[in-house]
Amino acid sequence: MNTPIISNELKLVLEQIIPETDVCFFPVTTHHPSGASFNHWALMPLTEVPCLDLEASEITMWIVPNEIALLYKKLRFLPECLGQRDIVRNTNLTSQILLSNKLKKVIERYSKGNVRLLRDYEIPPSFVL
């Protein structure tokens, strides 16, 4: 499961935007080979929503058949799967976190080039067996 690591600055902004029922922050310390330590936050969405159109996607391997995908050739997302939320984890592919356009703009503004957010048409196929 992928968990983004964010700065304290971004965490403070996100706390103002995302309800505490939708996300949790955990302290993380990273250590540089030089001996320097840096404090960050792990961002974990608390809401999980099925976001894939399983009929239109091309899944090549399943963790749970017809429910949780592992490998794929093509993904199609359900329209409006976020509902009114700004962030959810995709229950059909748990490595994915989906964001609203509003939250995407905020993260891009505060990421300082350390993050790349993909649109659904940019997601490369996984390794196909």
Side-chain angles (χ1 to χ4, degrees):
M1 186 177 300
N2 294 336
T3 303
I5 306 300
I6 62 171
S7 68
N8 191 58
E9 180 183 27
L10 180 55
K11 176 188 177 278
L12 293 173
V13 172
L14 295 180
E15 287 176 322
Q16 302 302 312
I17 298 171
I18 305 171
E20 63 183 36
T21 55
D22 286 353
V23 70
C24 188
F25 300 97
F26 297 96
V28 174
T29 302
T30 58
H31 302 279
H32 189 269
S34 69
S37 295
F38 302 93
N39 295 319
H40 306 287
W41 296 91
L43 181 151
M44 181 167 287
L46 298 176
T47 305
E48 296 183 354
V49 176
C51 296
L52 291 183
D53 179 339
L54 297 176
E55 303 243 343
S57 297
E58 292 181 32
I59 310 298
T60 57
M61 186 178 287
W62 297 91
I63 295 173
V64 176
N66 299 312
E67 192 175 323
I68 301 176
L70 177 63
L71 302 175
Y72 54 87
K73 287 185 182 178
K74 175 179 80 172
L75 296 177
R76 290 287 179 241
F77 293 91
L78 295 169
E80 307 302 323
C81 70
L82 287 175
Q84 298 299 311
R85 291 187 170 85
D86 286 309
I87 186 169
V88 299
R89 186 170 295 279
N90 184 354
T91 57
N92 301 125
L93 192 59
T94 58
S95 63
Q96 290 183 336
I97 296 173
L98 283 77
L99 309 174
S100 67
N101 285 328
K102 175 180 86 173
L103 190 57
K104 176 184 177 286
K105 288 176 186 175
V106 170
I107 290 174
E108 286 175 331
R109 186 175 331 134
Y110 286 90
S111 71
K112 299 177 181 152
N114 294 325
V115 68
R116 180 163 184 261
L117 302 172
L118 302 176
R119 296 188 182 277
D120 59 355
Y121 57 80
E122 295 176 310
I123 298 172
S126 61
F127 178 74
V128 181
L129 295 177

